[in-house]
Amino acid sequence: MNATAMTWWQVAAAVPLVGVAVAAAGYQRLGLTRDLVTAAVRAAAQLAAVGAVLLLLFAHAATAGILGWIAVMLLIAGQVAGRRGRAVPRARALATIAIATGSLPVLVALTVFGVLAVRAEVMIPISGMVIATAMQATGVTLLRVAEEVGHHRPAIETRLALGMPVTAAFAPHRRSAVRTALLPAIDSTKVVGLVSLPGAMTGLIIAGVDPLTAIRYQVVVMYMLLAAATLAATTSAYLAHHALFDTTAHRLRTPETAGGPGRWTIRGVVRR
């Protein structure tokens, strides 16, 4: 049997693995049973639906179709990352901008230099990997920025009261958030090939491509992901910084508890 031709019966054989995860979570009383089942069902349904759409795109899509699909991925990724950092004002819009800033320059650069062919079967999977990496970095950055403000508000306001500019007052916390967001991408790049064979390389090898050719593709992919994560994390930190602070009055914006989620007012110590 062809090793690359997996049947639906073989896919069904993996379903008990979800049962193992559900049983382990239930035994530990983690409260994640419903989430695990929902995630497994959604993954199968979403992948099946996307697979059908991709068949059409690969067969008929022109450049406009590729760009449209990338735009949809960016919008969805922005919503997901924005939910992680919802304590930051306009988090979803900021997340979408940050993800686009991290992903699009990388994809455009490699397309211009001829590394990526402008074909649906190339651009869509690669774009998905890049956007997903930028999404994860953005979500973690926004979450950590909000946590840093919440945990270190007195220290930040003290610096502002002593006359320190907003950028300098928040700089240590912004750097901490970006470092945390970039650690997964950095660690993955460090151990690639030693601890894991990533998806692109594994897929090519399974498809029968020479390992050295697969390695060349994987090196390009890892560099793309590292660049996308760094650009997205730094951009989201910058945007979150300007959303959380009034840089003119040198004040910290905080959520208005009485007004509910999403309402923000200016509060803080005026710089003298």
Side-chain angles (χ1 to χ4, degrees), residues 55-66:
L55 284 175
L56 295 176
L57 285 175
F58 290 173
H60 306 290
T63 303
I66 297 171

Side-chain angles (χ1 to χ4, degrees), residues 87-90 145-146 149-150 153 156-157 160 166 239-256 263-269:
V88 177
R90 305 179 301 279
V145 163
V149 171
R153 178 189 177 92
I156 295 170
E157 291 186 331
L160 293 174
V166 168
L239 295 175
H241 166 215
H242 284 271
L244 288 166
F245 290 88
D246 182 346
T247 55
T248 302
H250 295 274
R251 295 180 179 182
L252 175 62
R253 304 178 196 269
T254 59
E256 180 65 35
R263 286 194 56 189
W264 289 72
T265 58
I266 302 296
R267 178 184 167 196
V269 181

